[in-house]
Every structure is written in C-alpha cells, then in structure tokens.
Amino acid sequence: MIGKSIKIEGTGVYLPEAKSSETIEKMLGIPLGWSEKYSGVKNRHHVTFETNGFMGARAAEQALQSADLTLRDIDMLISAGSSYDYPLPNQASVIKHELRGASFDFPAIDIDSTCLSFISGLEMAASILDGQTYKRILLVSTEVASKGLDPSNWETATLFGDGAAATIIAYDPFEESLVVKSQQKTYSEGVYHTIIEGGGIANYFNNTGINSKDIFFRMQGKNLLRLAKKKLPIFIKDFFDDLPIKIEDVDVIIPHQASSTGLAVFKKMYPFNESQVIDTLAMNGNCIAASIPLTLHHVITQKKLKRGQICLLIGTSAGFSIGGLLFRY
Amino acid sequence: MIGKSIKIEGTGVYLPEAKSSETIEKMLGIPLGWSEKYSGVKNRHHVTFETNGFMGARAAEQALQSADLTLRDIDMLISAGSSYDYPLPNQASVIKHELRGASFDFPAIDIDSTCLSFISGLEMAASILDGQTYKRILLVSTEVASKGLDPSNWETATLFGDGAAATIIAYDPFEESLVVKSQQKTYSEGVYHTIIEGGGIANYFNNTGINSKDIFFRMQGKNLLRLAKKKLPIFIKDFFDDLPIKIEDVDVIIPHQASSTGLAVFKKMYPFNESQVIDTLAMNGNCIAASIPLTLHHVITQKKLKRGQICLLIGTSAGFSIGGLLFRY
C-alpha cells in the first residue's frame, strides 16, 4: 500500500518474568556464556502463569492508558501473532475477553504472517481505517515461544522469549502521520525452513500419544540466513525504488529481532549510523511477532523516535516472507 | 465498512470424499437416520489424504480458471479460516507452496475470526484493494473439521464436514460491483461456548501424553443458540438501520451453515421467500469458515446469484461473534 494517513496514538507492553542466560544455561547444561556469545541474548522473559490472552490484554490496557483512551474508543481488535492460547476460538476473542472493564462489542480478528504479523496487521489496520466505521484499532501482538522450545537445541532454547506489545492505530484526518509504503513478499522455496510439525491437520495429535519432536519449533538457521541474504537486498531495492529516500536516510529502523547473525548481516549491508538500527535482542530475545512492536514501544518511550520522523519496520518470517512498512510517526 | 467497489471475478471449490450419514452412523453406532433428523446433514465430506494446503490450492486453481486468470495476476493470498496444517508456518504460506506452476512472490497472510473468517477476509481484501499495489486478491477458506470431532458426541460427529472454497476479489474501477456494507461484533460473554482446549499455549501438549478431551472440538449448542437468538435480531436491525433496504429485500442470503436449528431459527425471524435463504447444510455439513464461500460458489455456478443482484453473507462464530457483509455481485 502507498500513502495512508494513520497515527500511532499509544503503545503498551507486558513482559513476564526475566530469565537470564545464566539461568537457562545452568538449567539445560549449556556452557556459561554460550547464549550471549552465540545467540546474542543476555536476557529474555518466559511466562510462568501467563497466557497470550493475559499478556495481550495487559499490554492493551497500558497502550490505552498511554493514549488517554478507553475501550469505548476502540472499533476493532486485531491480534497479530503466531502463537495462540487455543486452536479455537481465535486469539483476538480471547484477548478481548481478558480485557478489564465494561463489555463492548467491537470485532476481534486475528492476522497471522508469523514473525511479520505486526507489519501485516498494521497494513490491514491502516487500510480499513476510514474515520467512519473504523476510527481506532487496537493492534496486539502477544507471543509465547518458550513452551515450544527444544531443550536439546541450544540455539533456539536460548534465542526466544515471550512478551506482548499493543498499539493504538487511529485514522488521522490531519494527515500528520502516515504509512508511506508497505510491502510484503512470500518466497515459497523457504516454506518449511521454520516449522512446528505437530498439532495441526497434517499431523493431528490423537490420544495414542505424540512424538516429542512434533511439539517443538524447528529452524534451519543456515538455510534461512542464506535465503535472507539472497532476497533481502532485492526486496529493499524494490521497496525504495519509487520512493524519494534511500534506506540509509530513514531516521529509525526497527528490524525483526530474528537473530544476532541476522541483525549483523543486515547492518553490514548499508552505511547505517551506529544508532539508526535498533537492537533489543540482547534484552528480550526473539519474541516472534511481538519483537517489532516491543522495539517500537521502546523507541517511542525512550524518545528515540519523535513525531515527524520516518521509521522503517522490516523483517523476515516463516513462510518464508520478507515485509517492510515505512511510516511517518 | 461502507461502499467499496470490488468484484468477485471467480470462485472454485474442492471437496474430499463424500461421507453419507448412514456410513457415519454405522461406524459410530448411532441409530440410522439420527443425523438427518437431528443435525439436518445427509452428506458431508471428510479428508482421506488431503491437508488444508492441498484442498485450498486445488480450490484456488479452479477459481483462477473460472476467472480466466493465472497466479501472475494475483497480488496477495489470504487464507481465511480456523483450522491449519501446522501451528507454524501460517496456513496461507502452505497453500501458496502447494499451488501448481511458476513461483510468484505475492504475500501470503492468514485471517482468522473462526467461522466468520471468510467475511472478515473479504472485508480486509476489499479494504486493501487499491487498484495499484493490490489489484487482485486470492481469498481461500480451507477447513478440516473431521480430525477434531469427538466420536462420542453425536451432534458434532454428524454435523461437521471438510472442504475448501476460493474466491478471486478484484478492485473494480467500473464500480459495477461493490461491498455495500460490512460489520462484525464480538460478544465476549460467549467466548468459550465453542473451544478446542488443548494444543495451544494455555494447555500445551508435551511428551508425557494428552487427554483425549483436549483434542476435541466442544460446543455448548444450547448456550450458543440462546446467545444467537438474543443478539442476532439486534445485530440485523443495527446493520440495516442506515441502509435503504430491509433484510427481506435482499436477493440472496447466504448464512453460515452452523446447524439446522440455527438456520431454522434465522428463517423464522423474517418474512423471507422460500428460495431466498440458501441452505447447503444437508449436502456439505458445517465446514467452519469454508461454509459461506462453498455456498457462494454454489449460488454463482447454479445462477441463483446474478450480476447486479444483492447478496448478504451472515453468520455467527466462536468468540462469540456475529458478522454480516452485504454486496452487489
């Protein structure tokens, strides 16, 4: 999409209990220091009692508070994420039910493009906001990665974290803020580079038991990196081709916090300033679709992104997809 | 949303092996004739080798053929449904990968509002179509219900079927066809009236085994019907309040094929003609989100819906939601 006047009015987050790399390393028999060295993650958060619905609702309440709004002002709830509390009903309905306060009947809809779900959700929200039926959308990305991690796979066991981030997206009649451009491409040759094999229709769990390998997230790290290295420069060239600016002119760049290697490769590709590309991997790990909005909340609350500045959200996801969204905050 | 010029250019379906009520009744020890009498279902289709991805891709290919288009003409694939082949990657990526022919890099995104996913998907597709970045969207609803049915629950075991339907939605510069209005409401008091408890974050499966009750779809039929009876007339009154027509003036009404009781209650509410409300429950069962587009394909191919006529898609879904979309075909 090109040129849609919408404004981010507020953001909020919820992070469960912190889990240091040392704690995980001791628990799983990994050499001390391995995580920081190889995954780049010093700290992440893992749920104890929390569900996606609980975390998403708390993040949403904080976002509403930051925008000085209530649920009465919301016309739609979009849950933009990959993990879910139940196979049915949809995650957005569960988040809505968990929200405190009076009951409103705005619709609750899920959007899933795995790690890029926040970008897809923001594009869909921007498209549907018309200032009439839809004036404000509550966009929530809440993810629990920790339950599907294979303890014998050090890379994923130390890389992923849980958390939720919520954003209030409003139709902007003053045209101060806007989505400049949004684009996503799905390259099917990488469709199964990241997968959870069991629990869906293809390998339905039944009461005769399950293979432990089927419940775990699996990632072909090297194949993913190879595909990303090949496709990302083409994607970015194409994305900026019809725009009056180049990627290195963007004020703030928020990449999906996929992995330290992925972030390093991306930073090397262009002549960025040191502070231009935001890196929250060390403190939160890879939180699937919540990574980008958690980082967005960080730059807004830390005043690293100011009104009028240009911000690029960009990342890769299972499927395999690359997506980018450029907006004026 | 109100007033968006989009056109349904083609539709296609895929239905797996037919399974008569007699077959199911004999298999599960249900008295012969019970299904037709109580569920209203004479026949439904259950997968043998098929996945959601396989069925969705075949339906998509038929839709492309019916519109005399190829994948080259598609700018986005939306998978609008509730069931999925894998917890990760998203269903749209799997469908895209299963599509025959050359590889294109259009994005593949999931939308899930359970049984209303097709309506939500059509509204999102209509919103994002701009005639520039997005000229045509391939909207696919593919569902496998059969694997999650409790054989000891006669109501659900006889009610649900599998199947896929695909629709090509195009930006319409000639403004001949349009979405007149689309609306959805989520009433959180019914959030857990329909649920699959296990397999998500709330009750994650682990390798120590699973409770069989957790893998099955469960439905509080009476509570659902009570809530629908209470909310549906208010929803419809509100939906048509600002429109120049009444529900009984709509040419073709396609309700979600939720249950025979649900369909009967709906038909009694308004002075419909006998042929106005389309009922495909007896031949296909309840196919979750695929029910509405399967029925849409039926009315279009049977010439029960002609260009220029007004059609209403309406239904209820887990969450609990009611949604409606009125369009000129």
Side-chain angles (χ1 to χ4, degrees):
Chain A
M1 80 177 309
I2 298 171
K4 178 71 189 268
S5 289
I6 58 105
K7 187 174 182 177
I8 296 171
E9 291 190 318
T11 62
V13 299
Y14 180 91
L15 290 166
E17 195 175 281
K19 215 157 192 178
S20 71
S21 291
E22 201 185 331
T23 307
I24 290 184
E25 286 156 358
K26 280 183 179 166
M27 200 171 65
L28 302 180
I30 300 172
L32 288 185
W34 192 95
S35 174
E36 197 176 334
K37 189 169 175 192
Y38 293 100
S39 298
V41 183
K42 292 183 197 179
N43 182 68
R44 83 287 295 145
H45 305 79
H46 282 179
V47 291
T48 51
F49 67 92
E50 296 95 340
T51 58
N52 270 330
F54 178 89
M55 294 197 298
R58 298 298 84 79
E61 284 153 1
Q62 193 185 96
L64 285 165
Q65 204 171 12
S66 83
D68 203 14
L69 296 167
T70 71
L71 286 178
R72 189 180 301 274
D73 303 300
I74 298 300
D75 300 311
M76 179 184 275
L77 167 64
I78 294 176
S79 171
S82 183
S83 59
Y84 43 83
D85 288 335
Y86 304 102
L88 182 117
N90 62 336
Q91 187 60 48
S93 293
V94 175
I95 295 169
K96 182 170 187 287
H97 179 248
E98 296 262 349
L99 285 165
R100 281 191 212 104
S103 157
F104 297 96
D105 57 11
F106 52 81
I109 295 167
D110 288 14
I111 290 177
D112 180 2
S113 58
T114 75
C115 295
L116 289 171
S117 301
F118 180 79
I119 292 184
S120 304
L122 183 50
E123 182 176 24
M124 292 287 183
S127 300
I128 208 167
L129 282 166
D130 57 6
Q132 296 174 50
T133 309
Y134 303 109
K135 292 188 193 75
R136 268 190 199 92
I137 292 176
L138 177 54
L139 180 60
V140 183
S141 294
T142 177
E143 299 276 23
V144 174
S146 60
K147 296 202 181 188
L149 298 177
D150 182 351
S152 72
N153 183 315
W154 293 359
E155 189 186 359
T156 51
T158 56
L159 178 59
F160 285 88
D162 307 333
T167 312
I168 317 274
I169 316 294
Y171 178 78
D172 179 18
F174 306 109
E175 301 189 352
E176 286 169 351
S177 300
L178 85 159
V179 173
V180 178
K181 182 174 180 174
S182 176
Q183 194 166 42
Q184 190 182 318
K185 287 174 189 281
T186 299
Y187 308 96
S188 295
E189 59 263 49
V191 62
Y192 298 129
H193 283 4
T194 34
I195 191 165
I196 299 173
E197 288 217 36
I201 295 308
N203 304 294
Y204 205 79
F205 292 144
N206 58 45
N207 47 12
T208 63
I210 48 177
N211 288 326
S212 67
K213 78 165 185 61
D214 285 349
I215 59 172
F216 292 135
F217 170 82
R218 289 190 299 123
M219 180 170 92
Q220 298 173 23
K222 278 180 192 167
N223 284 337
L224 273 175
L225 200 64
R226 194 176 304 130
L227 193 56
K229 269 183 175 174
K230 184 179 153 194
K231 298 293 186 186
L232 199 59
I234 305 167
F235 178 89
I236 290 172
K237 187 183 177 303
D238 189 43
F239 189 97
F240 282 92
D241 230 19
D242 56 0
L243 294 178
I245 59 166
K246 289 179 288 184
I247 189 167
E248 53 264 38
D249 302 328
V250 173
D251 297 310
V252 174
I253 295 172
I254 299 177
H256 170 48
Q257 309 291 308
S259 71
S260 59
T261 321
L263 287 168
V265 165
F266 175 61
K267 283 185 197 172
K268 265 192 195 164
M269 283 181 178
Y270 304 94
F272 295 128
N273 299 327
E274 204 164 309
S275 62
Q276 213 169 357
V277 181
I278 313 296
D279 189 340
T280 57
L281 187 76
M283 62 183 187
N284 289 334
N286 176 337
C287 298
I288 323 177
S291 271
I292 287 178
L294 278 167
T295 310
L296 179 62
H297 174 82
H298 170 79
V299 295
I300 289 173
T301 51
Q302 298 291 309
K303 307 209 186 312
K304 291 177 188 172
L305 177 64
K306 299 172 198 79
R307 289 285 174 200
Q309 281 192 310
I310 300 292
C311 178
L312 174 69
L313 312 178
I314 188 154
T316 57
S317 77
F320 167 89
S321 299
I322 303 179
L325 189 147
L326 190 74
F327 70 99
R328 187 171 68 214
Y329 178 62
Chain B
M1 80 177 310
I2 298 172
K4 178 72 189 268
S5 289
I6 60 104
K7 188 175 182 176
I8 296 171
E9 291 190 316
T11 62
V13 300
Y14 180 91
L15 291 166
E17 196 175 280
K19 215 157 193 178
S20 71
S21 291
E22 202 185 331
T23 308
I24 289 184
E25 285 157 358
K26 281 182 181 166
M27 200 172 65
L28 302 180
I30 299 173
L32 288 183
W34 192 95
S35 175
E36 197 177 333
K37 189 170 174 190
Y38 292 101
S39 298
V41 183
K42 292 181 196 179
N43 183 69
R44 82 288 294 146
H45 305 79
H46 282 180
V47 290
T48 51
F49 67 92
E50 296 96 339
T51 58
N52 271 329
F54 178 89
M55 295 198 297
R58 299 298 85 76
E61 283 152 3
Q62 193 185 96
L64 285 164
Q65 204 171 12
S66 82
D68 204 15
L69 296 167
T70 72
L71 286 177
R72 189 181 300 275
D73 303 301
I74 297 303
D75 301 310
M76 178 182 277
L77 167 64
I78 294 178
S79 171
S82 183
S83 59
Y84 43 85
D85 288 335
Y86 304 102
L88 183 118
N90 62 336
Q91 187 60 49
S93 294
V94 175
I95 295 169
K96 181 168 187 288
H97 179 248
E98 296 262 350
L99 285 165
R100 280 191 211 102
S103 157
F104 297 96
D105 57 11
F106 52 81
I109 295 168
D110 289 14
I111 290 178
D112 180 2
S113 58
T114 74
C115 295
L116 289 171
S117 301
F118 180 78
I119 293 183
S120 304
L122 183 50
E123 181 175 23
M124 292 287 184
S127 299
I128 208 167
L129 282 165
D130 57 6
Q132 296 175 51
T133 310
Y134 303 109
K135 293 187 191 76
R136 268 190 199 91
I137 291 177
L138 177 54
L139 180 60
V140 183
S141 295
T142 178
E143 300 275 24
V144 174
S146 60
K147 296 202 182 188
L149 298 177
D150 182 352
S152 71
N153 183 315
W154 293 358
E155 188 185 0
T156 51
T158 57
L159 178 59
F160 285 88
D162 306 334
T167 313
I168 317 275
I169 315 293
Y171 179 77
D172 179 16
F174 307 109
E175 301 190 353
E176 287 168 350
S177 301
L178 84 159
V179 173
V180 179
K181 182 174 179 174
S182 177
Q183 193 165 43
Q184 190 182 318
K185 288 175 189 279
T186 299
Y187 308 96
S188 294
E189 60 263 48
V191 63
Y192 297 130
H193 282 5
T194 34
I195 190 165
I196 299 173
E197 288 216 37
I201 295 308
N203 304 293
Y204 205 79
F205 292 144
N206 58 46
N207 48 11
T208 63
I210 49 177
N211 289 327
S212 67
K213 77 162 185 61
D214 285 348
I215 59 172
F216 292 135
F217 171 81
R218 290 190 299 123
M219 181 170 90
Q220 299 173 21
K222 279 179 190 166
N223 284 338
L224 274 175
L225 200 65
R226 194 176 303 130
L227 192 56
K229 270 183 173 172
K230 185 179 153 194
K231 298 293 186 186
L232 198 58
I234 305 167
F235 178 89
I236 290 172
K237 189 185 176 302
D238 188 42
F239 189 96
F240 282 92
D241 231 19
D242 55 0
L243 294 177
I245 60 166
K246 288 179 289 184
I247 190 167
E248 53 264 38
D249 302 329
V250 174
D251 297 309
V252 175
I253 294 172
I254 299 177
H256 171 48
Q257 309 291 308
S259 70
S260 60
T261 321
L263 288 168
V265 164
F266 175 61
K267 282 185 197 174
K268 266 192 196 165
M269 281 181 179
Y270 304 93
F272 295 126
N273 300 328
E274 204 165 307
S275 62
Q276 212 170 357
V277 180
I278 313 296
D279 188 340
T280 57
L281 187 74
M283 62 182 188
N284 289 334
N286 176 338
C287 297
I288 322 178
S291 271
I292 287 177
L294 277 166
T295 310
L296 178 62
H297 173 81
H298 170 78
V299 297
I300 290 172
T301 51
Q302 297 291 307
K303 307 211 187 308
K304 291 177 186 171
L305 177 64
K306 297 171 201 79
R307 289 285 174 202
Q309 282 191 311
I310 300 293
C311 179
L312 175 69
L313 313 178
I314 188 154
T316 56
S317 77
F320 167 90
S321 299
I322 302 178
L325 188 147
L326 190 74
F327 70 99
R328 188 171 67 214
Y329 178 62

